[in-house]
Amino acid sequence: MKAVVMAGGEGTRLRPMTANQPKPLLPIINRPIMEHVLRLLKRHGFTETVVTVQFLAPLIRNYFGDGDELDMSLHYATEEVPLGTAGSVKNAADKLREDRFLVISGDALTDIDLTDMLRFHRENRALVTIGLKRVPNPLEFGIIIVDDNGRIQRFLEKPTWGQVFSDTVNTGIYIMEPSVLDEIEAGQSADWSSDVFPKMLDRGCRLFGYVADGYWEDVGTHESYLKAQADVLEGKVKVDLDAFELAPGVWVAEGASVDPEAVLHGPVYIGDYAKVEAGAEVREYTVLGSNVVVKEGAFLQRAVVSDNVYVGPAAHLRGCVIGKNTDVMTGARIEENAVVGDECVIEAEAYVSSSVKIYPFKTIEAGSVVNTSVIWESRGQRSLFGPRGVSGLVNVEITPELCVRLASAYATTLRKGDTVVTSRDASRAARALKRAVISALNSSAINVVDLEAAALPVARFNTSRENVKGGIALRTTSGDPQSVDIVFMDGAGADLSQVAQRKLERVFSRQEYRRAFPGEIAELTFPARAVDTYARELLGCVDMSGVKDTEMKVVVDCAGGTSSLVLPSLLGRVGVDVLTVNNRLDDASPTETLAERRRDLQRLAELVASSRAAFGVRFDPVGERVSLVDEMGQLISEERALLVVLDLVAAERRGGRVALPVTTTRVAEMVCRFHGVQVDWTATSLDTLTRAAAHPEMIFAGDGRGGFIVPEFAPTLDGLAVFLRLLGLVARTRLSLSQIDARIPEARLLKRTVPTPWAHKGAVMRSVVEAAEGHRLDTTDGVRVVEDDGSWALVLPDPAEAVTHLWAEGHDMDTAQSLLEHWARVVEQAAGE
C-alpha cells in the first residue's frame, strides 16, 4: 500500500518563513515538517510514497531525493499549475491505481496511529476514511459530523461561529480506494473537502470518519508553528529527536558546545554543532538550529532560531522566529511573534517590535525601531543611498558584481528602450566599474549614451535632455581615493528622490531584475559634442554682460579633475584673462586628502594675490563644488562664500526667492530681507534643496558646503555655472569679493557633534522637545529651538552615523556658546540613559 504526501502548498500565512522555501521544509526541532511526516509513514509500514509538489518543487526534490536516506522509496508528481488537494492526487493517478492508498499533508505535525486508521477503514468497507481530530477552535478547519458508527453525515469548510455544529475537524489524512480517483477530472483544480467529498456524500457513498486520539497540529500560522515546537519539547507528540538529554528537558544534538557557565532552562533544544557561550541564557521552549552561535549575555526564550544564525552579545530574543543565515548583532531586541526571514542582518541595538515580519535579505539599521513589517518597502533596511549616492571601498564594498546588480535594478525601474546617460571622473576605478554598469544596462534593454570622462554638471545637463530618462555617474569619494560613489540621476539630472531610491532599493533587495531577449539588447553610443552643447546652453542662460568691458583676470584651479575638459569651451567665449592650474586629468590621484586640498588652496591664494586677479576659484575634481579666494589672496570660508554670492545675486535681482538649508546662519535672512528677497528654508538633504530650486521664482540656492545652484540654468549643483555667474556679478557690481564680504554682518554660528547610540536617538529628540517647552519650535529638519531674542539652536540626528549634530547662533559668541553647551548637555544626558 502506498502513501501520498501533499507538499505543493505555498504557505502564504507563514510568510516570510515561506517566502523562499516551501512550507513542508520548515524545520520543527531541526527537521523539516515533511521529514517528520515521512518518518511517521515509515513507522507504520508505508515505505513507498508519492510526493505531490508545485511551489518551489526543486527544493523538496533536492532535499529528500529518492528517499534512500530514510529507507523509503519516494516518487514525485509535479503540478505545472496549482490543482488543489484533490487535483494534485489525481495528477499522480498513474502511480496509485493498484491498491488503496493513504493521503497525508506534508505540512502538518502528527503522530496519529495510521495502522489503526487503516484497520478502521477495512472493517467499515469504506470508500474513503477521513482522519478527524477534536480541536478547541474549529474555525480554520473543515468541520465534519459523523454518526455513532463513524459514517459521515455532513461537511462544512471553515465555518463562522454561527455555523459551528461540531468540534471534529478534517485533518487532511485520508485512506481511499483507487476508484475515488475517477471522481476527479484530470488537469482540473479540485479540493477534497469542498468539491469531491460533498458530491460523493450526496450520492450515498461510504465515507467514514476516524476520530483520532493522537497529536495533530496544522502548522498554518506563526502561532501554530511556535506551538508545534513547544509541543515536541514537552513530549506531547511522538517524533524522533536526534539528540541526547543533557539534563531534564535539555536536548543537545551531536557536536553542540554548551559552556558550563551558560544558563539553560528546559525544555530547550540545542542543534548539532551549535555553540552557547558563557553568560548566555537559553530559556524555556527555545530551539536552536545547526551551527547557531549564541554569544555572552544573550537572552532567548520561546525563540525558534534556524540554522547558521549568529546571536550577538546582549541580544534579546523572546517568542520570535529567526530564519536561516541571519545575523542578530549586539544588543538587538526582537519581541513576541516577530518573524525574521532568511539571510537578514539585524544590526546593533535595533528593536523589532512584536508581530513585525521582516522578509528575507533585509538589513535593519543599527538603532532602528521597527514597528511595521518590512516587506517590499525599505523601512528598517539599511539604505543603499548615503549623502553621496551609493558609496563604498573599491573592490571591497563596490565591486563590478555589485555595479551590475545596481544597474540592473535601476534599469528594471525604467521601460525597455529608455535611454540612460553614463559618465565617470578621471579615476581608473570609476572607468572599470562604469563598464560593468553599461553592460548591465544594455542587457536590460536600456540604451546608453556614454560621456566617458565628464564633469558631473555636464553629465547632469545631458541627462536632463529630451528622450533621456536617467543617468549614472561614478566618481571617487571626496577625500578618499580608495572609495567610489555611484550617483543615480532622474530624468531632470537631479539625484534620485527618496521615492525613486526606495523603488530601486526594493528591486535590488528582491533581485528581480529584468533581462532583455537577444533581439532587445540595447545600444551604446558616444555623443560627439556633449561638452560644446553644455557650454553653449550655459552661456545662453547666464547673464555675462559687462564681463568683456572689465578686462578681468581670474585664477582657476581644476584640481586635476574633469572641469578641465569644459573650461576651454567656456573661457574662450567669455573674454576674461585666466590663469589655470592643475588643468589636466589625473587618473592616479582623482581626489585629494585634506592636507593636499589645503596646500592647493594656499597656492591658489598666492597666485591670486601675486597676479592681482579679481578672485580665484577652485573646483572639486568633478566640477560640482567650488572654493573661493578673494582679490587679497584670502580664502573665503564655505559659509561666507554662500553669503557673498547670495548678496551679489539678491542685490542684482531685488526680488524672488532663495532656497537654503536650515543649518545656514540667519545672517542670510538679513541679507535677503535687505534686498527684498524671500528665503525658503529646506531640510539638509540635497534632493530637498534641488526640488526647492526648481520653483519658477527661485533665483539662487546653496548648501553652505561649496555647492551652488543657478536656477535659470538647472536646479542642480553646478560649480561651472556658478563660476560664470560670479564673473558676471562681479563685473557688473564693480565691487571686489572682499568689499562684498566686509559689508555682510559676521555670523556667530557654532557647531558641535555629540556621540549618540542608535537606540537612544529617539529618546534624545523627545528630551529636546520636552526641554524646549514654551519656546517656538521649527521642525523642518530636526528640532530648531528659537529664543525670544532670535537666537536659536538646532538639534539634528545624523541619518548615517551614531551621532547628533548641534548648531547654535546668537547675537554674540557668548550667547551662541551658552546655547550650544545647554543643548549639548540635554543631548548627552538623554543619550546616556
Side-chain angles (χ1 to χ4, degrees):
M1 182 174 168
K2 295 180 180 177
V4 179
V5 176
M6 296 183 293
E10 294 189 28
T12 53
R13 291 181 298 166
L14 281 164
R15 289 181 179 173
M17 291 189 292
T18 56
N20 58 340
Q21 68 177 332
K23 181 179 172 185
L25 289 186
L26 288 180
I28 298 287
I29 312 296
N30 223 25
R31 278 187 178 147
I33 305 174
M34 183 173 151
E35 183 173 340
H36 291 297
V37 172
L38 292 174
R39 288 175 179 270
L40 173 69
L41 290 173
K42 184 187 174 186
R43 287 200 299 270
H44 290 276
F46 295 90
T47 57
E48 190 169 354
T49 300
V50 179
V51 182
T52 67
V53 290
Q54 195 270 322
F55 177 67
L56 297 178
L59 296 181
I60 293 177
R61 286 197 296 265
N62 292 341
Y63 186 92
F64 292 104
D66 60 5
D68 184 62
E69 291 188 7
L70 296 172
D71 291 328
M72 300 179 72
S73 177
L74 300 185
H75 309 277
Y76 297 91
T78 304
E79 306 165 49
E80 298 299 326
V81 294
L83 296 175
T85 56
S88 65
V89 177
K90 176 70 173 183
N91 191 51
D94 59 327
K95 302 178 179 68
L96 303 171
R97 289 292 186 185
E98 300 173 359
D99 193 3
R100 65 174 60 97
F101 55 89
L102 180 140
V103 177
I104 190 169
S105 173
D107 51 24
L109 185 66
T110 182
D111 62 3
I112 286 176
D113 189 342
L114 302 179
T115 301
D116 191 59
M117 182 175 173
L118 179 59
R119 175 200 57 76
F120 178 88
H121 177 83
R122 286 171 174 159
E123 289 178 355
N124 287 282
R125 294 177 291 107
L127 192 60
V128 177
T129 295
I130 301 175
L132 305 178
K133 181 69 179 171
R134 292 187 174 92
V135 298
N137 184 358
L139 295 185
E140 290 299 318
F141 309 103
I143 290 178
I144 296 177
I145 192 166
V146 297
D147 63 16
D148 293 340
N149 297 319
R151 190 155 182 169
I152 293 175
Q153 303 296 308
R154 187 178 175 190
F155 288 96
L156 184 61
E157 274 295 295
K158 296 185 178 179
T160 64
W161 275 117
Q163 299 171 312
V164 169
F165 50 77
S166 173
D167 63 350
T168 308
V169 302
N170 181 359
T171 64
I173 303 174
Y174 314 121
I175 297 176
M176 300 179 178
E177 299 300 315
S179 61
V180 175
L181 296 174
D182 297 332
E183 304 284 339
I184 310 163
E185 187 175 347
Q188 298 298 312
S189 177
D191 286 311
W192 294 116
S193 296
S194 58
D195 299 318
V196 179
F197 293 157
K199 292 178 182 179
M200 294 177 66
L201 188 64
D202 290 342
R203 297 205 316 269
C205 296
R206 293 182 65 81
L207 273 61
F208 281 77
Y210 171 79
V211 181
D213 293 326
Y215 178 91
W216 176 81
E217 181 70 42
D218 176 36
V219 186
T221 64
H222 297 110
E223 293 77 11
S224 62
Y225 180 71
L226 289 170
K227 181 179 182 298
Q229 307 273 2
D231 289 345
V232 173
L233 290 174
E234 287 190 332
K236 292 182 178 179
V237 53
K238 299 173 185 176
V239 299
D240 296 329
L241 281 179
D242 190 14
F244 62 92
E245 200 167 7
L246 182 67
V250 177
W251 295 90
V252 179
E254 179 185 359
S257 172
V258 180
D259 193 281
E261 298 300 319
V263 179
L264 303 181
H265 290 272
V268 298
Y269 179 88
I270 312 296
D272 49 311
Y273 300 102
K275 182 180 181 181
V276 181
E277 293 189 353
E281 187 170 356
V282 181
R283 297 191 64 89
E284 299 86 354
Y285 305 116
T286 292
V287 176
L288 303 183
S290 301
N291 303 307
V292 169
V293 175
V294 180
K295 301 294 285 185
E296 180 182 3
F299 176 90
L300 298 88
Q301 185 175 30
R302 299 191 309 280
V304 176
V305 182
S306 301
D307 297 347
N308 305 308
V309 169
Y310 171 85
V311 181
H316 190 110
L317 280 62
R318 187 189 295 271
C320 58
V321 178
I322 309 297
K324 299 188 299 291
N325 304 310
T326 286
D327 293 335
V328 181
M329 308 308 286
T330 303
R333 188 181 182 99
I334 304 175
E335 293 292 357
E336 297 276 353
N337 298 317
V339 181
V340 179
D342 295 347
E343 300 191 42
C344 291
V345 178
I346 312 300
E347 293 191 338
E349 299 184 0
Y351 179 87
V352 179
S353 298
S354 60
S355 301
V356 164
K357 308 296 184 288
I358 309 294
Y359 271 58
F361 312 111
K362 302 293 184 182
T363 298
I364 304 303
E365 293 180 350
S368 295
V369 177
V370 182
N371 295 313
T372 57
S373 294
V374 180
I375 304 174
W376 305 121
E377 68 275 17
S378 60
R379 288 193 307 272
Q381 180 183 0
R382 178 182 294 280
S383 176
L384 283 171
F385 292 87
R388 302 177 304 274
V390 180
S391 305
L393 292 170
V394 174
N395 281 337
V396 176
E397 297 168 308
I398 305 295
T399 62
E401 296 86 353
L402 177 71
C403 289
V404 167
R405 295 198 300 271
L406 280 171
S408 297
Y410 183 54
T412 304
T413 67
L414 306 174
R415 295 182 178 181
K416 287 186 176 181
D418 282 348
T419 299
V420 166
V421 170
T422 60
S423 65
R424 62 174 176 86
D425 67 5
S427 69
R428 298 170 187 170
R431 178 173 56 194
L433 295 172
K434 182 168 65 67
R435 292 168 181 162
V437 167
I438 291 172
S439 66
L441 292 172
N442 284 161
S443 297
S444 300
I446 300 297
N447 296 305
V448 174
V449 175
D450 186 25
L451 303 181
E452 301 181 274
L456 193 51
V458 175
R460 293 189 185 279
F461 169 78
N462 281 272
T463 302
S464 67
R465 307 294 283 175
E466 189 177 358
N467 298 324
V468 176
K469 299 300 182 182
I472 301 177
L474 291 93
R475 64 183 183 187
T476 305
T477 302
S478 178
D480 184 2
Q482 305 301 317
S483 299
V484 69
D485 305 329
I486 306 176
V487 181
F488 290 89
M489 294 173 271
D490 60 20
D495 289 0
L496 290 183
S497 67
Q498 295 292 326
V499 172
Q501 288 179 13
R502 286 194 293 268
K503 183 178 180 181
L504 192 155
E505 287 180 350
R506 286 197 297 269
V507 176
F508 179 81
S509 64
R510 290 155 52 187
Q511 301 188 46
E512 295 179 355
Y513 310 134
R514 183 187 65 222
R515 291 286 182 258
F517 296 110
E520 296 177 325
I521 302 297
E523 294 184 352
L524 170 63
T525 57
F526 301 90
R529 305 184 65 81
V531 172
D532 288 342
T533 303
Y534 166 83
R536 183 175 63 252
E537 292 283 342
L538 177 57
L539 288 167
C541 292
V542 178
D543 184 2
M544 301 300 296
S545 60
V547 174
K548 292 184 178 180
D549 300 333
T550 60
E551 298 182 354
M552 189 185 304
K553 177 189 291 186
V554 294
V555 181
V556 176
D557 185 352
C558 297
T562 48
S563 58
S564 61
L565 300 173
V566 188
L567 283 176
S569 298
L570 288 174
L571 298 176
R573 307 176 191 181
V574 172
V576 293
D577 185 10
V578 180
L579 171 62
T580 58
V581 295
N582 294 320
N583 189 27
R584 83 265 182 244
L585 291 181
D586 188 351
D587 60 356
S589 300
T591 189
E592 69 283 322
T593 65
L594 181 60
E596 291 170 339
R597 182 172 181 271
R598 288 175 174 171
R599 179 201 64 199
D600 288 349
L601 284 172
Q602 181 60 37
R603 182 187 177 202
L604 175 65
E606 293 169 356
L607 289 172
V608 170
S610 61
S611 63
R612 298 183 179 180
F615 63 89
V617 61
R618 185 178 192 273
F619 298 103
D620 71 0
V622 292
E624 196 168 47
R625 299 177 183 274
V626 295
S627 300
L628 299 180
V629 172
D630 66 19
E631 79 286 356
M632 307 295 291
Q634 297 296 316
L635 174 66
I636 305 176
S637 69
E638 291 177 340
E639 181 184 272
R640 296 300 292 181
L642 175 66
L643 296 174
V644 167
V645 179
L646 172 62
D647 184 64
L648 281 167
V649 173
E652 183 170 270
R653 291 295 186 90
R654 294 289 177 178
R657 302 164 71 174
V658 301
L660 301 171
V662 291
T663 53
T664 307
T665 171
R666 267 39 186 186
V667 171
E669 196 168 42
M670 297 169 54
V671 171
C672 290
R673 190 184 306 117
F674 181 80
H675 296 298
V677 174
Q678 178 181 336
V679 179
D680 288 355
W681 299 107
T682 74
T684 54
S685 63
L686 183 57
D687 66 302
T688 306
L689 187 68
T690 300
R691 287 199 306 272
H695 191 280
E697 296 181 11
M698 201 64 61
I699 62 171
F700 172 81
D703 65 359
R705 295 180 288 111
F708 298 91
I709 294 174
V710 180
E712 59 263 38
F713 176 61
T716 54
L717 296 185
D718 191 331
L720 297 160
V722 78
F723 168 58
L724 287 191
R725 192 178 195 187
L726 192 57
L727 285 174
L729 290 169
V730 171
R732 290 188 295 275
T733 194
R734 298 192 179 275
L735 293 174
S736 66
L737 294 189
S738 65
Q739 291 173 320
I740 298 166
D741 190 11
R743 74 184 188 186
I744 300 172
E746 285 294 324
R748 297 171 178 86
L749 180 65
L750 301 176
K751 180 182 178 182
R752 182 180 297 180
T753 297
V754 177
T756 309
W758 281 101
H760 293 170
K761 283 191 174 184
V764 164
M765 299 311 293
R766 172 174 50 80
S767 298
V768 169
V769 172
E770 291 173 353
E773 186 177 357
H775 293 78
R776 182 164 63 89
L777 300 183
D778 175 9
T779 56
T780 302
D781 200 9
V783 175
R784 189 170 73 95
V785 184
V786 184
E787 302 288 339
D788 293 337
D789 62 356
S791 57
W792 57 273
L794 173 66
V795 181
L796 179 64
D798 191 284
E801 298 180 18
V803 297
T804 299
H805 302 294
L806 293 90
W807 288 262
E809 185 173 30
H811 299 294
D812 53 55
M813 292 305 294
D814 289 341
T815 302
Q817 186 66 42
S818 177
L819 270 176
L820 189 67
E821 291 177 357
H822 170 72
W823 290 106
R825 284 194 299 272
V826 172
V827 171
E828 288 167 351
Q829 289 172 2
E833 291 179 354

